[in-house]
Amino acid sequence: MTDIAIPDVQRAWINLRGGTPAEALILKSDWPVPKKLAPGEVLLKVQAGALNPIGYKFFAVLPNFLAGRPRVPEYDLSGVVVDTNKSRFRPGDEVYGWVPSNQFRSKEGALCQYVKVSEDWIVSRPHNVTPTQAAGFTLAGQTAYTAFMRHINIQPGQHIFVNGGSTAVGAFAIQLAKIKGAKVTASASGKNEEFVRRMGADKFVDYTKVSVLEYLESFTRTSNPKFDYILEAVGISVPTMYTASDSYLSPQGAFLSVGVQPKDTSLPELLNVAKCFVAMFRPIFLGGNKARWINVFVFNHIENMDQFQKYVAEGSLQPIVDSVYDFNDALNAYDRIMSKRATGKVVVRVDPTSE
Ligand SMILES: NC(=O)c1ccc[n+]([C@@H]2O[C@H](COP(=O)([O-])OP(=O)(O)OC[C@H]3O[C@@H](n4cnc5c(N)ncnc54)[C@H](OP(=O)(O)O)[C@@H]3O)[C@@H](O)[C@H]2O)c1
């Protein structure tokens, strides 16, 4: 059932082909509004969308048939329910969440005015956060949640190292670790120290002044007990951070990685990727490491979304916004996230009246 007047066509950024965002995207004003809803789907009027590295990485590497092009790009969003379709939502409910990154089937994405999305992929937006703040919660937040609340069971007082405390994943991870009562040491460049400490980090490592590997190796020499867990939240391919870890990571602990990614396609980088894969699968009796390697893959679980939303509502989880761009300026938003220097989420305001 349609609750609010909805147009037949909309303005939408469309991913037409592979390449850089400037090559891959065009802004259309006659993209159909998806009015046919399957059971369990609702229609949202989008308030804001937020970018993630996977968006522009998919433009660069996925062929059209795997990417499902032409399609609307991006996953994270906030919006207003305009067709409830007999779901648990009411017309006008303000929500945030994401659309699946399933590239084969869905044409849906965040950078458009109207999107259909499963009711299990969205939650109500707490009143203490604005639509542009909430738009960026989900993909990075659920990655951090999967890492720290599903893969491992953090105990109060445990010590965690987050490599990349100013990445969106790292910043949410620090906050979640603090909610669990852990002690956190995190790395970033010096300009982000204040941000990383505001997220809750107890200790800060400026990786532009001291190599993270040297810091980790010196850690137990200075009589500290070992780290209980390490989260690699940048997406690098440095095998030694794991292969040298017996000296600084508890054998009962784990090395969690958001994904081994080469900086470029040079031979040394590709060799490092190969070494990471060998290290993650090598058993202890063949010289492997004592602590487990865990690859973190974000997935949707409505209970995780609900719990994250409760933390936001009670003020234990802060939104992290680097910058907000107008809808027409989405290509500049892509320049910002591709700089790899964003501190928090890069947001695109879709509805100009949204806060
Ligand atoms: N596995 C999954 O399911 C999953 C899900 C989401 C994301 N990811 C991956 O997780 C990674 C992080 O994503 P994101 O959205 O959180 O990134 P992001 O917010 O765009 O990351 C930008 C931040 O990275 C920091 N940074 C860059 N190089 C660094 C380094 N060598 N050491 C420490 N910090 C560094 C920058 O801080 P400085 O300016 O201080 O360097 C900047 O604040 C990406 O590789 C992404 O593909 C994986």
Side-chain angles (χ1 to χ4, degrees):
M1 183 191 96
T2 299
D3 305 299
I4 294 171
I6 298 160
D8 293 329
V9 291
Q10 58 171 325
R11 298 184 78 220
W13 283 96
I14 299 299
N15 175 206
L16 269 188
R17 57 182 81 85
T20 62
E23 292 162 345
L25 297 176
I26 59 160
L27 181 55
K28 287 185 78 83
S29 46
D30 57 354
W31 189 252
V33 171
K35 290 190 174 176
K36 269 196 190 147
L37 304 179
E41 285 179 339
V42 299
L43 186 68
L44 300 185
K45 184 168 195 281
V46 180
Q47 294 170 307
L51 308 188
N52 284 282
I54 195 176
Y56 68 79
K57 288 176 188 173
F58 275 176
F59 298 161
V61 301
L62 285 189
N64 288 348
F65 75 99
L66 280 183
R69 298 179 185 120
R71 57 161 296 156
V72 181
E74 298 303 331
Y75 314 104
D76 279 345
L77 50 77
S78 58
V80 181
V81 178
V82 290
D83 187 341
T84 60
N85 194 26
K86 299 184 183 139
S87 66
R88 65 197 160 96
F89 293 102
R90 285 163 307 171
D93 275 356
E94 300 204 37
V95 298
Y96 72 88
W98 55 337
V99 291
S101 57
N102 178 336
Q103 297 294 304
F104 297 96
R105 281 177 296 177
S106 171
K107 298 277 174 199
E108 301 298 320
L111 297 191
C112 63
Q113 293 177 296
Y114 292 90
V115 62
K116 68 175 176 179
V117 59
S118 162
E119 64 171 322
D120 290 341
W121 290 67
I122 51 175
V123 289
S124 297
R125 173 172 59 79
H127 297 301
N128 57 343
V129 288
T130 65
T132 50
Q133 289 175 327
F137 273 142
T138 306
L139 203 151
Q142 289 302 307
T143 305
Y145 194 97
T146 304
F148 280 180
M149 305 299 213
R150 307 269 319 188
H151 282 308
I152 60 177
N153 184 12
I154 299 173
Q155 299 301 313
Q158 288 188 319
H159 195 174
I160 297 176
F161 183 78
V162 176
N163 189 51
S166 67
T167 67
V169 174
F172 286 127
I174 295 171
Q175 297 190 66
L176 289 168
K178 295 308 294 180
I179 288 170
K180 293 284 245 176
K183 188 173 158 195
V184 179
T185 298
S187 71
S189 66
K191 69 176 177 357
N192 282 328
E193 175 167 1
E194 191 275 327
F195 172 81
V196 169
R197 288 196 185 273
R198 188 155 37 87
M199 295 298 105
D202 304 280
K203 281 193 183 166
F204 177 77
V205 180
D206 179 350
Y207 74 85
T208 63
K209 294 216 172 105
V210 48
S211 113
V212 168
L213 205 60
E214 274 170 34
Y215 173 81
L216 290 170
E217 283 176 337
S218 69
F219 187 71
T220 37
R221 285 204 297 275
T222 52
S223 82
N224 289 297
K226 294 180 179 182
F227 286 107
D228 294 286
Y229 300 103
I230 293 177
L231 173 66
E232 200 300 284
V234 179
I236 49 171
S237 51
V238 179
T240 36
M241 197 179 283
Y242 178 60
T243 55
S245 68
D246 282 357
S247 67
Y248 50 78
L249 181 57
S250 159
Q252 290 80 37
F255 180 91
L256 300 109
S257 162
V258 295
V260 174
Q261 297 168 55
K263 267 199 297 256
D264 50 48
T265 52
S266 65
L267 191 60
E269 272 295 304
L270 296 179
L271 272 176
N272 277 339
V273 171
K275 283 182 192 164
C276 288
F277 277 95
V278 170
M280 71 177 83
F281 292 115
R282 184 185 289 151
I284 295 177
F285 67 89
L286 290 178
N289 288 87
K290 292 185 184 126
R292 290 167 295 154
W293 176 303
I294 298 175
N295 284 309
V296 179
F297 297 105
V298 65
F299 64 99
N300 187 66
H301 234 293
I302 192 65
E303 311 92 84
N304 299 0
M305 296 273 289
D306 283 342
Q307 185 56 57
F308 194 98
Q309 176 218 40
K310 285 192 187 105
Y311 289 144
V312 171
E314 71 190 25
S316 337
L317 258 171
Q318 304 172 41
I320 47 166
V321 175
D322 172 83
S323 42
V324 181
Y325 291 81
D326 288 342
F327 191 57
N328 289 349
D329 265 351
L331 293 180
N332 290 332
Y334 276 102
D335 284 344
R336 177 64 183 154
I337 190 171
M338 289 173 72
S339 74
K340 300 191 175 158
R341 298 278 80 83
T343 305
K345 298 305 301 179
V346 177
V347 177
V348 175
R349 194 193 313 269
V350 177
D351 178 346
T353 66
S354 280
E355 216 184 315

